């Protein structure tokens, strides 16, 4: 019984610490999907961001870096944004190479994104499969 009380008390303390942390945000709007349009002058122009993840890594496609002073940064793209759709193509279950090809082959890129730091952190987990 004492253990259950302690566990509950620790959860409460964790919540209080999290709530008062400088990075804590209770505005759920930041997690809702949003659509941005990135337009490049030429297909050979840089996208302004890097991606990681993909179907072969058992996760979605996430922005891993947004270059400073680029159109991508001005549009509000940020690390840990998950790309859900690009020009109507579902990116939730796509291979990394195919995602790169689609992004790099278009000048006009309509992207639906959502900020999903939990999923992004999972892209760094090592996923091993025992083939024996």
């Amino acid at each position: 019984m004492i253990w259950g009380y302690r566990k509950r008390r620790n959860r409460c303390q964790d919540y209080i610490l999290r709530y008062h942390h400088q990075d804590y945000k209770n505005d759920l709007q930041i997690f809702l999907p949003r659509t941005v349009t990135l337009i490049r002058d030429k297909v050979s122009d840089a996208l302004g961001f890097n991606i990681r993840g993909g179907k072969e890594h058992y996760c979605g496609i996430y922005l891993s870096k947004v270059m400073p002073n680029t159109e991508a940064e001005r549009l509000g793209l940020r690390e840990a944004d998950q790309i859900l759709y690009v020009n109507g193509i579902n990116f939730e279950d796509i291979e990394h190479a195919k995602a790169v090809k689609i992004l790099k082959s278009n000048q006009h890129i309509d992207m639906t994104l959502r900020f999903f730091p939990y999923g992004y952190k999972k892209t760094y987990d090592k996923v091993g499969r025992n083939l024996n």
Side-chain angles (χ1 to χ4, degrees):
M1 189 66 152
I2 294 174
W3 181 81
Y5 170 74
R6 238 184 237 154
K7 190 173 181 179
R8 249 180 286 134
R9 191 182 80 204
N10 288 340
R11 275 192 223 142
C12 184
Q13 287 172 339
D14 289 345
Y15 171 76
I16 290 168
L17 290 173
R18 184 176 64 242
Y19 183 78
H20 293 289
H21 191 275
Q22 64 185 6
D23 294 333
Y24 178 79
K25 297 185 179 27
N26 65 354
D27 180 11
L28 298 180
Q29 291 289 108
I30 65 171
F31 301 103
L32 294 176
R34 64 195 191 284
T35 301
V36 298
T37 301
L38 176 66
I39 299 174
R40 302 182 294 161
D41 292 332
K42 298 177 287 195
V43 174
S44 59
D45 289 346
L47 291 165
F49 59 85
N50 295 341
I51 63 171
R52 69 178 291 120
K55 183 178 184 176
E56 67 274 23
H57 301 288
Y58 307 100
C59 61
I61 301 291
Y62 292 86
L63 300 185
S64 59
K65 181 177 184 179
V66 178
M67 299 350 170
N69 303 315
T70 62
E71 185 63 20
E73 183 187 51
R74 284 188 280 285
L75 289 171
L77 302 183
R78 61 184 170 221
E79 182 180 323
D81 275 345
Q82 181 182 12
I83 302 176
L84 302 173
Y85 292 92
V86 171
N87 295 345
I89 299 168
N90 188 339
F91 264 48
E92 292 182 88
D93 191 34
I94 192 171
E95 293 175 351
H96 183 88
K98 188 172 181 183
V100 169
K101 184 177 180 182
I102 291 167
L103 288 166
K104 286 192 169 187
S105 65
N106 288 287
Q107 285 178 257
H108 185 100
I109 303 169
D110 289 319
M111 289 190 289
T112 302
L113 308 138
R114 70 173 173 165
F115 182 60
F116 192 41
Y118 174 76
Y120 176 65
K121 287 178 185 172
K122 290 186 76 65
T123 67
Y124 287 96
D125 291 348
K126 296 202 188 266
V127 179
R129 300 185 91 181
N130 188 357
L131 300 176
N132 294 336

